[in-house]
Amino acid sequence: MHHDVRVADHKVGTLRGHAQEVCGLKWSPSGTQLASGGNDNILNVWDDRYTSSANGVCDQPLLRLDQHRAAVKALAWCPWQRNLLASGGGTADRMIRFWNSSTGACLNAVDTHSQVCALQWAKHDRELVSSHGYSHNQLILWKYPSMVKVAELTGHTSRVLHMAQSPDGTTVVTAAADETLRFWKILSGGEASKKERAAAKESILNSMTIR
């Protein structure tokens, strides 16, 4: 359901396309497409066609993608490439898939050998972070589009359920079922961050002048 909390009659639309619980939702950066993943192993991509319906109900998604073999919880739209959507499947699937949301084409698929719980694109680099549950409970940093592993990060003792990225694009915070938050400084943060670090280093060196 779509809600606009700025108005009294806040329910503005209903999207019906899953047979079981919806466990993943993510708006595209442009706000024109919505990805939904369900326990029915289906990934749907929706547009604004519900607005043209008399009752605000849409039963037909723009795309219905059924290649995952387990629940689709992990969803992430690429911030620097239009119409690129990444999705991750549960324990019986373990795949990260990349989609063109204009055509519905599956661009690539990678077996992670572990339940995929969350995905996070780097803001400034061609990289993707995935978090996992059974059986490794780790994070993996990938190069895109080669999907070569840059690093595997361990520390959580249970499923890594959620991820968020810092505003400067250098740090990822994870929340896991082990009831801990962990902060991982694994991303570059782009050219601005590199210049800030270089300036800070120069400042430190200048303050260490021996008289």
Side-chain angles (χ1 to χ4, degrees), residues 11-32:
K11 180 185 171 184
V12 296
T14 301
L15 309 176
R16 299 190 298 210
H18 290 283
Q20 296 184 35
E21 295 89 346
V22 176
C23 53
L25 282 172
K26 192 73 70 173
W27 283 103
S28 66
S30 64
T32 59

Side-chain angles (χ1 to χ4, degrees), residues 92-127:
D93 183 70
R94 307 176 303 182
M95 303 292 289
I96 298 175
R97 294 184 179 274
F98 299 92
W99 309 90
N100 181 323
S101 68
S102 291
T103 65
C106 184
L107 306 174
N108 194 9
V110 177
D111 188 350
T112 69
H113 305 289
S114 190
Q115 175 189 27
V116 185
C117 297
L119 295 167
Q120 184 77 225
W121 288 97
K123 293 179 180 179
H124 304 289
D125 299 296
R126 278 16 182 194
E127 293 178 336

